[in-house]
Amino acid sequence: WLNCKIFSELIVSWVVGSVERPPQFDAWIDMYGGEEFEKEVKDYIAMVDRICENVDVEEFAEMKKHFLMNCKLEHMFWDQASSKMQWPEVGGL
């Protein structure tokens, strides 16, 4: 879901021309920005919504915990990309 939303914003930027689209990422960008991926995301959200209707409070809390962890990991991914984080040296590597 998050990738779909982020790519929607990026695509708008590319269409307007304020951001250059790097050619080495074309396939990746096309996948996340495509209508097929958006449909898959919407189908997945609908499936999870249906499942949530039939779970108890404890199971819903566990699902929520996993969803929030996923959001944190996605945020960390995009944050390190925007800040151009470098890997720390380990053992001279």
Side-chain angles (χ1 to χ4, degrees):
W1 170 81
L2 188 57
N3 286 335
C4 198
K5 293 292 184 189
I6 290 169
F7 271 84
S8 293
E9 293 298 318
L10 287 175
I11 289 169
V12 168
S13 295
W14 288 320
V15 169
V16 190
S18 64
V19 176
E20 185 177 327
R21 179 175 163 155
Q24 67 267 35
F25 299 117
D26 279 348
W28 186 61
I29 291 166
D30 290 342
M31 181 189 75
Y32 281 117
E35 290 178 15
E36 184 176 334
F37 184 76
E38 184 176 356
K39 181 191 177 308
E40 292 293 328
V41 168
K42 287 179 180 179
D43 289 349
Y44 185 79
I45 290 170
M47 178 188 71
V48 172
D49 285 347
R50 282 191 305 276
I51 292 169
C52 286
E53 292 173 1
N54 299 310
V55 298
D56 59 32
V57 173
E58 292 82 19
E59 191 170 6
F60 184 80
E62 190 68 17
M63 292 171 73
K64 182 178 177 180
K65 183 175 89 175
H66 288 288
F67 175 77
L68 292 173
M69 176 56 75
N70 178 68
C71 291
K72 290 176 184 180
L73 293 170
E74 283 290 329
H75 173 267
M76 290 168 62
F77 170 79
W78 289 105
D79 184 58
Q80 67 83 29
S82 79
S83 68
K84 299 181 181 173
M85 181 189 88
Q86 299 296 311
W87 288 102
E89 280 196 37
V90 179
L93 300 174

